[in-house]
Amino acid sequence: MVAVLQGFWLIAAVIAVGWFLAHTRLFGRTEQQVLAKLTFWVGSPALLFLVVADADVGVLFSGFLVATVAGVVVTAGAYLLLARFVLHRSSTHALMGGMSVSYVNSNNLGVPIAIYVLGDASWAAPILLMQLLFLQPMWLAALDASGQGRLSLRRLALSPITNPLTIGSLLGLFVAVAGIELPAAVRDPVGLIGGLAIPGMLLAFGISMRLSPLPRGRANLAELGGMVLLKLAVMPGVTWLVAGPVLGLSDAEVLAAVVMASLPTAQNVFILAAAYRRGENLARDSVFATTVLAMPAMLLLVGVMA
């Protein structure tokens, strides 16, 4: 438990530095964008390449992934039913909300938490691959099919081969499946570049938290509360049920699956909401609320399961 707390403290401390830089106006939107671009285009692809390349192929395609997918499907389905038949939201609004409760921040927070809390970056690899290769394209296809989308089918088709995170992950997956041993001449520079990713993404995340607007609007509070409950309670709960009692995975696998399922809503959900001009406030508020509450929720879960 002490090691877990130390891991959370390390992550929180770096995020706090980013928050402080924005609060003192030393860093602003421009610096945040530079950090975000650096990690997205350079650091994260290199890091993900090594993470996936070094991952156990059995973990990438195992009961761990099955439990993760089950949590995603049940949580997204529950919200879609609630939004359409109880709250009577539009189809596009419901889809953006469903994405908000099911698409986790597996890169900016998932990788650092896997490394410093769970002790192995490869725990983040299955959900990263699942989201990049399947979940995001499926949500975008559903949004386009709703008739309200702003992204073309051509862009949807090209997104897997133009996203640097997907490219880095796929190259790493090829290395892992083929059993290729990377020479030092390749691994060392890639590892050095990948070292940019975690501090850069956490600093950018802290800046974003300080500069992002607070949730507002009483009309959305009930729906937002339901989304937070689904994301931080139902999703990890279903994942635990499938990983533990149903599949009988090891304690380490169950803990890793539950922690990964407890990650907050990914920030790029808001970017997509803005692109489609649907559910922007809901997406923004869900990112903020789940991010603020995710750490306490994870600590509670780890404390109960430890």
Side-chain angles (χ1 to χ4, degrees), residues 16-263:
V17 171
W19 187 96
F20 180 77
L21 289 172
H23 183 71
T24 56
R25 299 184 180 180
L26 289 173
F27 279 30
R29 291 289 184 190
T30 300
E31 289 76 14
Q32 178 200 349
Q33 291 172 0
V34 170
L35 285 170
K37 286 183 177 180
L38 184 64
T39 57
F40 181 78
W41 289 100
V42 182
S44 289
L47 177 63
L48 292 179
F49 170 74
L50 290 180
V51 166
V52 178
D54 293 339
D56 184 349
V57 177
V59 173
L60 293 175
F61 306 102
S62 67
F64 178 90
L65 181 59
V66 173
T68 300
V69 172
V72 168
V73 171
V74 171
T75 304
Y79 173 80
L80 291 175
L81 292 174
L82 175 68
R84 290 295 286 160
F85 298 108
V86 178
L87 301 175
H88 305 292
R89 303 301 193 192
S90 68
S91 60
T92 310
H93 179 102
L95 287 171
M96 287 309 311
M99 191 174 187
S100 296
V101 300
S102 63
Y103 200 99
V104 304
N105 196 335
S106 55
N107 185 40
N108 288 7
L109 286 181
V111 173
I113 285 175
I115 293 174
Y116 295 109
V117 176
L118 301 175
D120 187 351
S122 64
W123 289 121
I127 194 167
L128 270 165
L129 289 171
M130 185 266 291
Q131 290 191 157
L132 290 170
L133 300 180
F134 300 105
L135 193 58
Q136 179 171 292
M138 286 175 60
W139 280 121
L140 295 183
L143 285 167
D144 280 328
S146 72
Q148 303 291 340
R150 293 292 183 271
L151 296 181
S152 67
L153 291 176
R154 179 176 178 273
R155 181 174 178 180
L156 175 65
L158 292 176
S159 63
I161 60 174
T162 57
N163 187 319
L165 304 182
T166 306
I167 294 171
S169 299
L170 287 176
L171 290 174
L173 181 62
F174 172 77
V175 171
V177 173
I180 298 174
E181 186 71 26
L182 294 173
V186 174
R187 173 177 290 276
D188 290 349
V190 173
L192 185 62
I193 294 172
L196 295 168
I198 292 177
M201 65 179 66
L202 292 179
L203 288 171
F205 191 78
I207 295 170
S208 175
M209 287 193 67
R210 176 62 183 86
L211 299 180
S212 297
L214 294 173
R216 59 178 182 268
R218 291 186 179 181
N220 288 329
L221 289 180
E223 183 177 9
L224 179 61
M227 293 175 69
V228 171
L229 184 65
L230 285 169
K231 178 66 210 68
L232 300 182
V234 174
M235 188 168 170
V238 172
T239 302
W240 169 83
L241 181 65
V242 175
V246 175
L247 297 178
L249 302 182
S250 67
D251 290 344
E253 290 175 306
V254 174
L255 177 62
V258 171
V259 169
M260 290 293 102
S262 304
L263 290 167

